[in-house]
Amino acid sequence: MQTRTRIIGLVDCDSFFASCEKVFRPDWRDRPVVVLSNNDGCVVARSAEAKALQIPMGEPYFKLRDFARARGVVVRSANYALYGDMSARVVETLATFTDEIDVYSIDEAFFDLTHFFCDSTGRYPHEEEEALELGELPRAVREAAEPLAEKIAATIRKWTGVPVSIGLGPTRTLAKAASRIAKDNYARRGRKCAALFDRAERDAALASLPVEKIWGVGRRLAPRFQNSGLRTALDFARVDPTTMRRFHSINQERTVRELRGELIFDAVSRPEPQQSMQISRSFGETVSSLDELEKPVATFASKLAAKLRARRLVASALYVYVATDRFNAKAPQRNGGSAITLSRPTNSTPEILARSLQVLRAIYEPGFRYKKAGVVALETLPEEAAQARRYLFELDPTQNEETRERDRNVSLTLDRVNSKFGAGSIFFASEGVERAWRPFSNFVSPQYTTDWDALPRAS
């Protein structure tokens, strides 16, 4: 089915972590809520009420503690089991409207509503009667698409308790921009959806969107464009695409085309190709022996492999690092890390775990109290791209095809069991049973949706 313009949507959960905390606590509905990072270190999520108090993102908890008590701020430790399950419920609700869904992150998902409005030939009703430009829809379709998106947002809120904003556009970049407009500008009017199909409305919206908020630009690249006089998304969209490619990159050229209404990006091709992925934690207690240090590194390696599989990515290399407590000036300090190239790109848990521990044993030095470790997947690429490669030689003869097939099956079994019975239901022995290194979570909420013993009780 091909159409000139597609109806691409983006569901963006509002203040997601804080919203999840409020779902099972109606008494917190109008209270400011903040969620802390691992080890209850700093603020990583804020409800609208917390933002109104001007609590900054990344604020260390020890600086916030007295203010929070004085202003009635609810403080929660991060509860990723709860957030992951609530995210799945949002996606399941969205799936009752469309099968074409691409989960982009824990609080965002792209979807396609084109099939609601076009016929079997891929054309919209009365399309030939209007002089449509690239990225525009017939007026009747445009006027029907927004109420449908509002219905989707209302249904998600009703069925899950999570408030969402929805952006609609002819491309993913414009849908992303529209969702930001819905979140920032329309919420006060009681609207949960914004659409950017009309050319005049699109230009006005892009003129109000700073260049650093364009999907794929961000704060890192923004200064370069601002120095060239590109202050807004509309300025960006008006640059000649070939010029953008010549002086910047092919991804920025594609972003320009998307802002103009030309559909370029999909579930595989995105403006922000993920080149690396990391799992790291600060420990609740310092550890000194290699045996103690192997347990968290094995856990991080296993989580990293599962995360790669969930995103259908593979790693070409791994980097493992350890660090002491930099806030303890009296203790000896050491930060060390090293990388290893994999014989073939993989997302297999047995191989990633084994190679991570191999690096750890090479970089470990006794005599230090370690406070943090991390495992990083380097040079990630889609599974399909890795499978298409041809290898003349085996860099690691122990990893023959039979071993790889066995490891793939083990990894898939891990995923199925942990998906059905809950994260951590089955794990490798090297991760350890007693995990004294686990980060502090002094304010963690019950796992309402994934633990029978944590179900809310009516009194």
Side-chain angles (χ1 to χ4, degrees):
M1 178 181 66
Q2 296 295 323
T3 60
R4 184 180 174 194
T5 298
R6 299 190 70 82
I7 305 175
I8 306 297
L10 175 71
V11 165
D12 187 354
C13 300
D14 300 339
S15 304
F16 182 55
F17 291 177
S19 293
C20 290
E21 296 290 348
K22 289 189 174 192
V23 168
F24 297 96
R25 291 296 303 266
D27 53 320
W28 293 351
R29 180 175 296 129
D30 299 317
R31 289 185 61 182
V33 174
V34 298
V35 177
L36 303 178
S37 63
N38 291 302
N39 266 333
D40 295 339
C42 58
V43 174
V44 294
R46 306 160 295 163
S47 68
E49 298 84 0
K51 293 175 183 177
L53 291 177
Q54 298 184 339
I55 296 174
M57 198 71 152
E59 178 80 348
Y61 174 62
F62 74 87
K63 292 185 178 180
L64 176 66
R65 185 185 296 111
D66 293 340
F67 178 85
R69 289 172 180 167
R71 302 302 290 269
V73 178
V74 177
V75 177
R76 297 284 88 189
S77 302
N79 187 340
Y80 295 111
L82 174 64
Y83 309 151
D85 187 69
M86 294 300 291
S87 174
R89 291 168 187 247
V90 169
V91 173
E92 287 173 6
T93 305
L94 179 60
T96 63
F97 291 89
T98 177
D99 293 331
E100 297 184 59
I101 300 173
D102 173 31
V103 178
Y104 180 65
S105 67
I106 194 170
D107 62 348
E108 294 177 293
F110 288 102
F111 60 97
D112 195 320
L113 295 179
T114 310
H115 64 281
F116 270 92
F117 302 100
C118 64
D119 59 25
S120 59
T121 66
R123 297 184 64 83
Y124 294 111
H126 312 296
E127 181 177 354
E128 67 282 353
E129 299 173 9
E130 300 181 41
L132 299 175
E133 297 184 24
L134 182 66
E136 290 189 331
L137 287 174
R139 179 182 297 275
V141 175
R142 191 169 69 243
E143 291 176 349
E146 289 188 58
L148 176 58
E150 293 281 358
K151 181 179 179 181
I152 293 173
T155 303
I156 291 174
R157 179 64 185 269
K158 181 178 180 180
W159 290 8
T160 70
V162 177
V164 302
S165 299
I166 293 181
L168 297 179
T171 69
R172 291 191 170 207
T173 304
L174 287 171
K176 185 87 168 175
S179 73
R180 183 174 291 277
I181 292 166
K183 187 185 293 284
D184 295 345
N185 303 334
Y186 286 7
R188 292 185 295 272
R189 308 178 209 169
R191 295 174 59 188
K192 301 300 295 180
C193 171
L196 296 180
F197 294 103
D198 179 78
R199 179 63 180 272
E201 291 179 0
R202 185 192 310 165
D203 286 353
L206 295 182
S208 66
L209 187 70
V211 69
E212 65 267 20
K213 293 187 176 181
I214 301 173
W215 189 38
V217 175
R219 288 188 173 86
R220 184 176 62 86
L221 296 177
R224 182 193 309 175
F225 297 116
Q226 291 166 344
N227 291 338
S228 302
L230 306 180
R231 306 281 178 183
T232 70
L234 184 61
D235 296 333
F236 202 88
R238 287 176 171 171
V239 177
D240 177 66
T242 56
T243 300
M244 181 63 75
R245 179 174 185 171
R246 183 180 308 117
F247 291 101
H248 295 284
S249 72
I250 186 173
N251 269 334
Q252 301 308 326
E253 176 204 359
R254 290 170 174 171
T255 298
V256 168
R257 294 185 183 279
E258 285 246 323
L259 288 171
R260 292 181 170 198
E262 183 180 349
L263 183 59
I264 303 292
F265 296 126
D266 55 24
V268 176
S269 173
R270 291 172 171 171
E272 299 170 310
Q274 192 164 13
Q275 299 297 320
S276 65
M277 184 182 294
Q278 177 176 189
I279 300 290
S280 64
R281 297 286 187 274
S282 293
F283 310 147
E285 300 289 344
T286 57
V287 299
S288 57
S289 71
L290 177 60
D291 180 64
E292 291 176 302
L293 202 52
E294 284 182 343
K295 292 179 176 63
V297 169
T299 300
F300 302 160
S302 295
K303 289 181 179 293
L304 180 66
K307 191 173 182 181
L308 285 167
R309 290 193 296 274
R311 299 192 182 185
R312 301 187 67 182
L313 296 173
V314 291
S316 303
L318 295 170
Y319 179 79
V320 179
Y321 66 91
V322 294
T324 52
D325 187 355
R326 61 189 177 93
F327 295 107
N328 186 355
K330 296 181 180 179
Q333 299 292 308
R334 179 177 183 268
N335 296 317
S338 183
I340 187 171
T341 301
L342 301 171
S343 59
R344 289 190 189 182
T346 186
N347 55 23
S348 156
T349 296
E351 184 171 3
I352 288 178
L353 193 156
R355 296 293 177 257
S356 297
L357 292 179
Q358 177 184 341
V359 176
L360 173 66
R361 290 160 188 156
I363 65 174
Y364 170 75
E365 287 188 19
F368 295 92
R369 303 290 303 180
Y370 293 98
K371 183 65 174 178
K372 184 176 183 179
V375 182
V376 187
L378 301 175
E379 298 180 35
T380 62
L381 67 158
E383 286 180 335
E384 298 82 2
Q387 291 169 358
R389 291 184 177 182
R390 295 292 182 265
Y391 298 88
L392 296 178
F393 303 100
E394 287 290 353
L395 298 180
D396 181 359
T398 67
Q399 288 293 313
N400 55 42
E401 198 54 45
E402 182 179 349
T403 301
R404 289 196 179 88
E405 183 62 26
R406 181 203 65 194
D407 288 351
R408 276 194 291 269
N409 291 333
V410 168
S411 300
L412 293 175
T413 301
L414 281 171
D415 293 341
R416 284 194 294 269
V417 172
N418 287 325
S419 175
K420 183 174 182 179
F421 296 104
S425 297
I426 186 171
F427 53 88
F428 281 81
S430 55
E431 299 179 46
V433 177
E434 299 295 331
R435 303 182 186 182
W437 56 269
R438 282 195 180 279
F440 293 129
S441 296
N442 293 323
F443 312 105
V444 69
S445 297
Q447 296 182 15
Y448 298 108
T449 63
T450 57
D451 184 347
W452 284 107
D453 296 329
L455 286 174
R457 298 178 185 274
S459 59

